[in-house]
Amino acid sequence: MNQKVEIEFPSGIELYIKREDLLHPLISGNKFRKLKYNIAQAQKENKKALLTFGGAFSNHILATAAAGKEYEFNTIGVVRGNELKDNYQENSTLSKAEQLGMQFYFIERELYRNKENESFVKTLNEKFGDFYLVPEGGTNELAIKGCEEILSEDDKEFDFVCCAVGTGGTISGIINSSHENQEIIGFPALKGDFLSDDICKFVTKKNWKLILDYHFGGYGKVKPELISFLNQFYEEAKIPLDPIYTGKMMFGIVDLIKKGSFPQKSKILAIHTGGLQGIKGINNLLKKKNKEYLIYEE
């Protein structure tokens, strides 16, 4: 569903949001798309368990746990940060994933960097037995195939399509299914330009670019001006956005509109990739620091 943002923008620009967050209550947004064909492949291979990786507030960890519950897989989450193992029940994302049946394996951050090494995966096989491995963030060729279904023929009317970028899978799928008249703009939630190389592995079209100015300090980092913006946006548009991905993208889009970066009468489509479940955890951290927090929470 494409929902128009009922805010008056300069130069006759119109902004719409594709509400991918409404696809499923827990396997929402791009996680639904990324897991769709991976689940089908795991079933085809007769796997009984899914293993994946993520951090303390990982939308992907929770979505994988929910998918496992719904499609009758055991789920294993390899979680970055050994310090979390003693108090993870206080984390809303991890506690919910555990309620859905996920088993956790907390590891040191240095060891976590080896998650793509064959030798490390072999040790996980020895520890947990046979499993279907879903990469961190869910990005692989099957995930991109799912993300190619985000855009429909009806979306051809939009001049620009914008999305948040984590591991590069979602924007790769969108680029692949984009129309000739469209420019795809990605807003990375992480520092650095390394994602361009990752995206180039999956796409051949050249109608895209990354805007690197709206990460607010990097992945999982938020700043007061971002929280204030999201609260104001919610009051005006009545659409909740997460502060880790979609919220940063929307801050960037609105800022670029104000700066005149889009041509007059542009029609912009922003992809809502979900992630609202993480708001409670972010709010808890902000409240402890006596800072402004998001006024909406599941």
Side-chain angles (χ1 to χ4, degrees), residues 171-185:
I171 192 172
S172 295
I174 290 171
I175 292 166
N176 288 342
S177 60
S178 63
H179 301 282
E180 291 182 3
N181 62 299
Q182 294 176 327
E183 181 175 352
I184 313 302
I185 305 176

Side-chain angles (χ1 to χ4, degrees), residues 180-241:
E180 291 182 3
N181 62 299
Q182 294 176 327
E183 181 175 352
I184 313 302
I185 305 176
F187 293 82
L190 298 82
K191 290 182 180 180
D193 192 26
F194 62 94
L195 285 166
S196 294
D197 292 336
D198 292 338
I199 294 167
C200 285
K201 297 174 185 176
F202 299 108
V203 306
T204 57
K205 295 180 181 180
K206 306 295 184 182
N207 63 333
W208 60 278
K209 65 181 179 181
L210 300 182
I211 304 293
L212 307 178
D213 303 327
Y214 299 100
H215 54 69
F216 288 88
Y219 178 73
K221 303 290 180 63
V222 299
K223 292 186 178 181
E225 58 264 38
L226 175 63
I227 301 301
S228 296
F229 167 82
L230 293 178
N231 282 333
Q232 181 181 351
F233 185 87
Y234 180 73
E235 289 182 343
E236 294 177 353
K238 300 296 183 284
I239 300 174
L241 303 174

Side-chain angles (χ1 to χ4, degrees), residues 37-49:
Y37 291 108
N38 275 290
I39 291 293
Q41 183 64 28
Q43 291 172 329
K44 183 179 179 180
E45 296 178 14
N46 294 315
K47 301 290 187 180
K48 304 300 180 185

Side-chain angles (χ1 to χ4, degrees), residues 8 26 32 64 94 100 127 136 164 171 188 238:
E8 187 173 340
L26 290 174
F32 179 95
T64 303
L94 297 181
L100 291 166
K127 183 176 180 64
E136 181 183 39
I171 192 172
K238 300 296 183 284

Side-chain angles (χ1 to χ4, degrees), residues 83-110:
E83 73 278 1
L84 295 166
K85 66 181 180 181
D86 294 326
N87 59 357
Y88 71 87
Q89 291 92 349
E90 299 174 11
N91 178 295
S92 59
T93 299
L94 297 181
S95 62
K96 182 64 176 178
E98 185 178 52
Q99 290 170 23
L100 291 166
M102 179 170 275
Q103 174 185 357
F104 295 125
Y105 179 39
F106 297 94
I107 61 174
E108 300 287 351
R109 295 169 188 273
E110 185 173 341

Side-chain angles (χ1 to χ4, degrees), residues 3 9 23 25 27 44 76 79 105 132 163 166 169 180 217 231 268 284 290:
Q3 182 175 348
F9 294 105
L23 287 174
I27 319 170
K44 183 179 179 180
I76 303 147
V79 182
Y105 179 39
Y132 182 88
C163 76
E180 291 182 3
N231 282 333
I268 304 169
N284 287 341
N290 292 317

Side-chain angles (χ1 to χ4, degrees), residues 267-287:
K267 293 192 73 172
I268 304 169
L269 180 65
I271 310 300
H272 195 317
T273 50
L276 299 179
Q277 60 81 22
I279 291 173
K280 184 176 181 180
I282 294 295
N283 270 352
N284 287 341
L285 293 175
L286 293 172
K287 289 174 183 177

